[in-house]
Amino acid sequence: MRASAHLGSEKAVEMTEVNGRLVEGVVANLPMFRQASRAHLADVTRHARAVHAPRGEIVCRRNDPMPGLYAVAFGLVKLSLGDDPGDEKVLRLVGPGETFGEAVAFLERPCPVNATALTDTLLVMIPSGPLFALIERDARFARSLIASLSQRMHALVADVEASALRTGLQRVAAYLESLTEPGPALGSANVRLPATKTVIAARLGVTKETFSRLLRELSDLGLVEVTRRDIALLDRDRLAAVARGAARAAAEA
Amino acid sequence: MRASAHLGSEKAVEMTEVNGRLVEGVVANLPMFRQASRAHLADVTRHARAVHAPRGEIVCRRNDPMPGLYAVAFGLVKLSLGDDPGDEKVLRLVGPGETFGEAVAFLERPCPVNATALTDTLLVMIPSGPLFALIERDARFARSLIASLSQRMHALVADVEASALRTGLQRVAAYLESLTEPGPALGSANVRLPATKTVIAARLGVTKETFSRLLRELSDLGLVEVTRRDIALLDRDRLAAVARGAARAAAEA
DNA sequence: CGGAATGTTGATTATATTCAACTGTTGTGG
DNA sequence: CCACAACAGTTGAATATAATCAACATTCCG
């Protein structure tokens, strides 16, 4: 950044401007900042910086210090627990327009998860400092932030519930349902897994072997058709029934 | 409450005053309100009300509307998932000075958990309205609230991690360790389970039968001695080793 | 094209659940 | 205060669910 002043080329300046606009665009579209004024937004974007992470790069290692919260501009980030890859639990997959690290940024604690870019990813990092300042000045922002944390919490609780008292088959069925567009459940739909089956398996709390077998089970029941990462949901009613626990009923129907 | 004016007895007035002081005392000692001014505190306590729940009473049923957040004055509340008792997952046990329902109060969504009083319990319910108002007026409160939500989140993530990649034995060992006073691990310590073994088992994500067997296993290893709800931790070093995954090492040592 | 990563399938095993029978504890009303 | 019913906990045997191990097939990229 500082170097660009020395180089002084129009291209470098242009790049900086482009970065600035990009950062601003990404930040302005976060739910958390939708209600913020232009001035407050500017204060935040001034301190934010873009971070590029090529596929496979670890954005944030477990126990690293967390400088602030991250927003995904494009790409996909995997938040996972557990050191050994191959025996990890994927907490969440973070896509464009989503954020991670809020809860950690405000506790000034080390990062509790590993964050890995699954594809080429552009992130915007917003340091904690300006966020704290904005909480002071804009109550609406504080409210949005609280709402954001609360929703995240809800999702986590739902996950805990699923892991604790649903079988693998139920979780897979529910997950496939969740990939469809929100709206009335039509007869069929096509979805695409957002990551490799190994990663999705870890997201669902099963091994890749088990995930493979469960998909085959749904396939044998005639509920889905799997073609690589593309999955056709052939009978959403029965799929939903399986998700709710009526495995036998679905098989008999 | 309104009736007390009509009855006009000194006793009724005294009771109201006692309730008022009690509510005030409980609210003032919540971490969330420690930094609030007297005036702000008064605004909140004015709208708060004490709720008594005898042992076994369901404070809040799954999918009920949530009027606000609850603070425990005395007693113990179980937050659990799953309809059928006997196959439930206990998310958290909430003791004196702790709160629950923040995340839900701010989303105006129905309650995602069942809240049951495990012993005679006194709660203070703080409606969402005054809380929203306080967020507007006191940024420090907003900050405390965010910190509170973040910590809750952290704890949940830690739980997810434990459930996902630790065995039952490891979780039991870690839980027993967590019941000791924070501080350096001395050679031995005595702890008391805060609830029945059935409830603690559900808290740890195992059945009561499995919990019983795991405690016996630790007992056979000479790491603990169980007398009803009282457990003597005989060798905290090896217990910690078991918690970290060195089951075999502990057995051999 | 070739090697690494990803995914599938089968056989075996580990972990914890379920079912069932029994014992101990607690709290309550006669 | 005791009897007794409801609850809490223990133990054993059989079972279920998913993990692990191992071999192989496929796909993705460089």
Side-chain angles (χ1 to χ4, degrees):
Chain A
M1 290 292 195
R2 220 185 313 164
S4 64
H6 289 289
L7 296 174
S9 75
E10 284 186 11
K11 190 178 177 187
V13 170
E14 191 179 281
M15 285 300 286
T16 301
E17 268 187 33
V18 168
N19 279 346
R21 290 190 182 283
L22 185 136
V23 165
E24 188 185 327
V26 170
V27 172
N29 280 304
L30 296 175
M32 185 182 307
F33 292 103
R34 294 309 288 266
Q35 310 186 37
S37 73
R38 290 194 78 74
H40 287 161
L41 249 181
D43 282 348
V44 169
T45 56
R46 191 175 308 124
H47 298 96
R49 68 163 211 270
V51 180
H52 179 249
R55 161 192 256 258
E57 179 158 305
I58 297 179
V59 176
C60 193
R61 204 175 249 99
R62 198 183 172 70
N63 296 328
D64 277 357
M66 271 296 265
L69 78 80
Y70 289 89
V72 176
F74 61 77
L76 190 65
V77 174
K78 175 184 73 174
L79 304 184
S80 61
L81 295 167
D83 316 298
D84 167 29
D87 182 32
E88 65 176 3
K89 162 81 186 180
V90 174
L91 261 191
R92 192 156 70 97
L93 297 173
V94 190
E98 296 187 301
T99 57
F100 67 92
E102 299 91 323
V104 181
F106 292 107
L107 288 178
E108 320 246 18
R109 279 207 239 174
C111 187
V113 302
N114 293 310
T116 313
L118 293 182
T119 66
D120 253 39
T121 298
L122 187 70
L123 297 152
V124 174
M125 198 282 284
I126 308 175
S128 330
L131 291 175
F132 277 124
L134 192 48
I135 291 171
E136 306 289 329
R137 278 183 294 164
D138 185 351
R140 282 174 308 177
F141 172 71
R143 231 172 146 267
S144 297
L145 193 55
I146 288 167
S148 179
L149 282 168
S150 296
Q151 281 188 283
R152 191 67 41 78
M153 193 92 143
H154 251 251
L156 240 183
V157 168
D159 263 20
V160 169
E161 173 163 26
S163 297
L165 24 75
R166 303 288 179 198
T167 67
L169 191 67
Q170 288 176 294
R171 295 200 298 276
V172 171
Y175 180 72
L176 293 180
E177 268 300 312
S178 78
L179 289 179
T180 61
E181 300 301 324
L186 288 89
S188 69
N190 294 305
V191 301
R192 169 164 298 180
L193 299 180
T196 67
K197 287 179 182 165
T198 302
V199 169
I200 301 300
R203 170 73 187 73
L204 295 174
V206 297
T207 60
K208 63 185 196 300
E209 292 95 332
T210 297
F211 186 50
S212 175
R213 287 186 252 265
L214 293 174
L215 278 181
R216 160 166 283 275
E217 193 171 339
L218 290 175
S219 183
D220 288 346
L221 288 171
L223 304 187
V224 306
E225 193 171 39
V226 182
T227 311
R228 305 195 1 71
R229 279 190 196 176
D230 296 298
I231 301 181
L233 311 187
L234 303 175
D235 187 337
R236 295 183 61 180
D237 288 340
R238 283 206 292 154
L239 194 61
V242 169
R244 288 194 309 270
R248 173 164 302 172
E252 289 170 353
Chain B
M1 291 289 192
R2 222 184 311 162
S4 64
H6 289 290
L7 296 175
S9 75
E10 284 185 13
K11 190 178 175 186
V13 170
E14 192 180 278
M15 286 299 289
T16 302
E17 268 188 36
V18 167
N19 279 347
R21 289 191 184 284
L22 186 137
V23 166
E24 189 187 327
V26 170
V27 172
N29 279 304
L30 296 175
M32 187 182 304
F33 291 103
R34 295 310 288 267
Q35 310 187 38
S37 73
R38 289 193 78 74
H40 287 160
L41 250 182
D43 283 347
V44 169
T45 55
R46 191 175 307 123
H47 298 95
R49 68 164 211 269
V51 179
H52 179 250
R55 160 196 255 256
E57 180 159 305
I58 297 178
V59 176
C60 194
R61 204 174 248 99
R62 197 184 172 71
N63 295 328
D64 278 356
M66 271 296 265
L69 77 79
Y70 289 89
V72 176
F74 60 77
L76 190 65
V77 174
K78 175 185 73 176
L79 303 184
S80 62
L81 296 166
D83 314 298
D84 168 29
D87 181 32
E88 63 176 4
K89 162 81 185 179
V90 174
L91 261 191
R92 191 155 70 97
L93 296 174
V94 190
E98 297 187 302
T99 57
F100 67 91
E102 299 90 325
V104 182
F106 292 108
L107 289 178
E108 320 245 19
R109 279 207 239 175
C111 187
V113 303
N114 293 311
T116 313
L118 293 182
T119 66
D120 253 40
T121 298
L122 187 70
L123 297 153
V124 174
M125 197 281 283
I126 308 176
S128 332
L131 292 176
F132 278 124
L134 191 48
I135 291 170
E136 305 290 328
R137 280 182 293 164
D138 185 351
R140 282 174 307 175
F141 172 70
R143 231 173 145 265
S144 297
L145 193 54
I146 288 167
S148 178
L149 282 168
S150 296
Q151 281 187 283
R152 192 66 42 77
M153 193 94 144
H154 251 248
L156 241 182
V157 169
D159 263 20
V160 169
E161 173 164 26
S163 297
L165 24 74
R166 302 290 178 193
T167 68
L169 191 67
Q170 288 175 296
R171 295 201 297 275
V172 170
Y175 180 73
L176 293 179
E177 269 299 313
S178 78
L179 289 179
T180 61
E181 301 301 322
L186 288 89
S188 70
N190 294 305
V191 301
R192 168 165 297 180
L193 299 179
T196 67
K197 286 179 183 164
T198 303
V199 169
I200 302 299
R203 171 74 188 73
L204 295 175
V206 296
T207 59
K208 63 185 196 302
E209 293 95 332
T210 299
F211 186 51
S212 175
R213 287 186 252 266
L214 293 174
L215 278 181
R216 162 167 282 276
E217 193 171 340
L218 291 175
S219 183
D220 288 345
L221 288 172
L223 304 187
V224 305
E225 193 172 38
V226 181
T227 311
R228 304 189 9 68
R229 279 190 197 174
D230 296 298
I231 301 181
L233 310 186
L234 303 174
D235 188 336
R236 295 183 59 180
D237 288 341
R238 283 207 290 155
L239 195 61
V242 169
R244 289 194 308 269
R248 175 165 301 174
E252 288 170 354

